C-alpha cells in the first residue's frame, strides 16, 4: 500500500478475553434492509464533559433527522476507555458505533470485532472523504474505520522565546537535526536557568518520523513486522544524550518527571519554558492558551531529505461499527451524519480534529475560525500538499511500543544503558511485543 506509517500509540490495551471476539457477533449487515423502524443503538467514545456536550448535541440533531432511531451515548476518560471496551466486546456487549484510535482498530478488526464498511455503503458514503485520511481506517484489504478528522505530528516552536533569546527562527523547509541541536543550545544559554532550548523529543511517533527520514521506512512494514534498524535507534539516542549533556534539553530527572504529565499545559511548551518541542497539531490551541505565547507548528528538522517527508496526516479518531451490531444500517447512518453533515459540524466543530470531508472544512471555515483553530487549519492544509498520504496502522501488540520507548529513554538519560544497548533492546522488545 506504499509508505507505512505507525499509528499514534496510546497506552496498553487490556487484551484479556479479546481472543473470543470472533464469536461475539449478534448479527450481520446482510440481515439488514435499511428499514430499521424503531431501533436503539449505542455510541461510545472517550472524553470529558465538554466533548459530551457537543457530541450529544450532534446526536440530538441526528435523531431529529432520523425519526425512529434512538442513540444511547456513553463515554469515559481515555485511560479507562479501552479496558472497558475490551471487557464489553469479549462479553458480546460492544456498542454499535465505537470510537477507535491508534493501533486499536487493527487489533479489533483482525479479530473480527469490526464491520467491513463496504457492507453498509448504501447508508455510509465515503466518496468525499480525503483518501489520505481514509487510509487510517484501511487495513487487511478492508475499510474498517472512518476518520473523525485529521491532525499531524510535527515540530512546535515558541516564537516569543526565540525572540527573547535573540535567535533567528529556523527555515523549516531546510533545517536539519544539526541545526535543531545548535538552536537548542543557543537558546538555553541565552535564557533563564529554568528555560530550555528544547524539551526531550523522544517518543514513539518521533522515532517513526526519524526512521522514515533516514531509511525511507517507518517503524513497521505493511506485513506487520518491525522495520527499525537497531543502529538508527542508537543514533537517535546518541542525539538526545548529546542534547542533555550540552544543556539544550533538561536533565534526566526533569524529563522523566514530565513524561508522566501528559496534558499539554503540564509540558514545558505549555509552561512557556521551552522554545522547541514535538507533538500533534491539535495541541496547538491548548499550548498557546496555557503559555500565553506565540506557539506554532512547523515541519520537523530533516524533513526535506532524500526519502521525502517523514510527516503524515493521521486520523484524530476513527468511527467504527461493531460486527455484532443488530442494526448496521442505523449505525452507518449515524457515522455518515457525524462526518458528512453540516448539522453535526455546527456542534462538534474541530473537537475531533480538522474534518476530513472537504465540504465540512469549507463550512466551518466560512463561519469564521478563532485564531488558534485557524493556525491548525492552515498547517494541516500545508502538510497535505507534501505528505504522500499513505498510512498503515501498526500491528497487533504495537500499543506496547510507547511504553517500551519511555522506559528505554529513562534508562538512556540516566546512563543506565548506552544508546547502542537501547537500540538493540528496542528491536528485541518491540519484536516480541508484535510477534
Amino acid at each position: 500500500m506504499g509508505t507505512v506509517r505507525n499509528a499514534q500509540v496510546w497506552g496498553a490495551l487490556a487484551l484479556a478475553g479479546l481472543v473470543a471476539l470472533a464469536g461475539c457477533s449478534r448479527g450481520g449487515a446482510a440481515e439488514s434492509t435499511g428499514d430499521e423502524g424503531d431501533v436503539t443503538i449505542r455510541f461510545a467514545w472517550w472524553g470529558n464533559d465538554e466533548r459530551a456536550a457537543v457530541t450529544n448535541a450532534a446526536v440530538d440533531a441526528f435523531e431529529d433527522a432520523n425519526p425512529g432511531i434512538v442513540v444511547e451515548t456513553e463515554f469515559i476518560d481515555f485511560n479507562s476507555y479501552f479496558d472497558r471496551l475490551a471487557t464489553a466486546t469479549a462479553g458480546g456487549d460492544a456498542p454499535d458505533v465505537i470510537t477507535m484510535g491508534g493501533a486499536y482498530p487493527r487489533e479489533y478488526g483482525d479479530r473480527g470485532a469490526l464491520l467491513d464498511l463496504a457492507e453498509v455503503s448504501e447508508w455510509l458514503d465515503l466518496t468525499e472523504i480525503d483518501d489520505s485520511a481514509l487510509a487510517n481506517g484501511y487495513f487487511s484489504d478492508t475499510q474498517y474505520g472512518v476518520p473523525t478528522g485529521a491532525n499531524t505530528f510535527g515540530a512546535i516552536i515558541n516564537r516569543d522565546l526565540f525572540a527573547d533569546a535573540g535567535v533567528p527562527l529556523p527555515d523549516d523547509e531546510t533545517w536539519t537535526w544539526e541545526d535543531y541541536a545548535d538552536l537548542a543550545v543557543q537558546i538555553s544559554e541565552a535564557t533563564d536557568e529554568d528555560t530550555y532550548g528544547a524539551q526531550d523529543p523522544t517518543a514513539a511517533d518521533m522515532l517513526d518520523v526519524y526512521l522514515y527520514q533516514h531509511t525511507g521506512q517507518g517503524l513497521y512494514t505493511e506485513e506487520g513486522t518491525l522495520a527499525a534498524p537497531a543502529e538508527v535507534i542508537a543514533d537517535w539516542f546518541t542525539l538526545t544524550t548529546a542534547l542533555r549533556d550540552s544543556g539544550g534539553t533538561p536533565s534526566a530527572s526533569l524529563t522523566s518527571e514530565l513524561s508522566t504529565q501528559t496534558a499539554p499545559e503540564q509540558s514545558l511548551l505549555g509552561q512557556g519554558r521551552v522554545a522547541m518541542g514535538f507533538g500533534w497539531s491539535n495541541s496547538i490551541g491548548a499550548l498557546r492558551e496555557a503559555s500565553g505565547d506565540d506557539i506554532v507548528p512547523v515541519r520537523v528538522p530533516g524533513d526535506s531529505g532524500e526519502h521525502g517527508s517523514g510527516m503524515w496526516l493521521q486520523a484524530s479518531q476513527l468511527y467504527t461499527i461493531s460486527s455484532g451490531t443488530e442494526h448496521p444500517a442505523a449505525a452507518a447512518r449515524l457515522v455518515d451524519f457525524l462526518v458528512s453533515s453540516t448539522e453535526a459540524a455546527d456542534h462538534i466543530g474541530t473537537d475531533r480534529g480538522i474534518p476530513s470531508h472537504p465540504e465540512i472544512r469549507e463550512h466551518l471555515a466560512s463561519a469564521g475560525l478563532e485564531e488558534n483553530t485557524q493556525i491548525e487549519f492552515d498547517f494541516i492544509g500545508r502538510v497535505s500538499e507534501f505528505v504522500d498520504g499513505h498510512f498503515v496502522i501498526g500491528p497487533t501488540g504495537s500499543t506496547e511500543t510507547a511504553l517500551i520507548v519511555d522506559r528505554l529513554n529513562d534508562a538512556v538519560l540516566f546512563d543506565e544503558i548506552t544508546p547502542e544497548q537501547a537500540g538493540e533492546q528496542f528491536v528485541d522488545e518491540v519484536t516480541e511485543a508484535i510477534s
Side-chain angles (χ1 to χ4, degrees), residues 63-282:
E63 290 178 332
D64 290 341
N66 293 271
I69 301 178
V70 176
V71 182
E72 294 180 349
T73 62
E74 51 196 70
F75 74 99
I76 195 172
D77 66 277
F78 177 79
N79 291 333
S80 304
Y81 179 81
F82 285 100
D83 286 344
R84 175 176 291 187
L85 179 62
T87 301
T89 306
D93 191 35
D96 299 274
V97 176
I98 307 169
T99 305
M100 286 280 184
Y104 295 121
R106 187 163 198 159
E107 296 194 357
Y108 279 78
D110 284 349
R111 289 179 168 86
L114 302 181
L115 186 69
D116 177 353
L117 297 183
E119 298 183 32
V120 289
S121 59
E122 180 179 349
W123 308 285
L124 176 55
D125 181 8
L126 303 181
T127 57
E128 298 301 319
I129 304 294
D130 294 338
D131 288 341
S132 57
L134 272 178
N136 287 253
Y138 184 88
F139 51 92
S140 301
D141 298 321
T142 305
Q143 191 73 48
Y144 283 112
V146 182
T148 66
N151 60 76
T152 188
F153 186 84
I156 301 174
I157 62 174
N158 185 320
R159 295 195 288 205
D160 288 338
L161 281 183
F162 270 87
D164 291 345
V167 176
L169 293 170
D171 177 357
D172 73 344
E173 297 284 349
T174 61
W175 70 328
T176 65
W177 284 102
E178 290 75 15
D179 295 331
Y180 161 82
D182 289 343
L183 289 170
V185 175
Q186 291 178 48
I187 294 171
S188 288
E189 291 177 347
T191 52
D192 296 336
E193 184 178 352
D194 65 345
T195 303
Y196 303 90
Q199 62 187 27
D200 180 83
T202 304
D205 298 308
M206 189 69 258
L207 289 178
D208 193 68
V209 173
Y210 189 80
L211 282 161
Y212 186 81
Q213 289 180 349
H214 288 77
T215 69
Q217 177 74 68
L219 276 168
Y220 308 110
T221 68
E222 295 181 42
E223 294 73 30
T225 60
L226 183 66
E231 58 269 21
V232 180
I233 301 298
D235 288 345
W236 172 260
F237 283 119
T238 299
L239 168 68
T240 59
T241 51
L243 278 168
R244 175 208 61 190
D245 293 341
S246 67
T249 55
S251 66
S253 58
L254 180 56
T255 294
S256 180
E257 175 187 341
L258 290 169
S259 69
T260 64
Q261 301 174 12
T262 57
E265 61 270 18
Q266 295 173 319
S267 69
L268 291 178
L269 276 168
Q271 296 174 45
R273 295 173 54 197
V274 69
M276 298 183 293
F278 296 89
W280 291 92
S281 56
N282 59 1

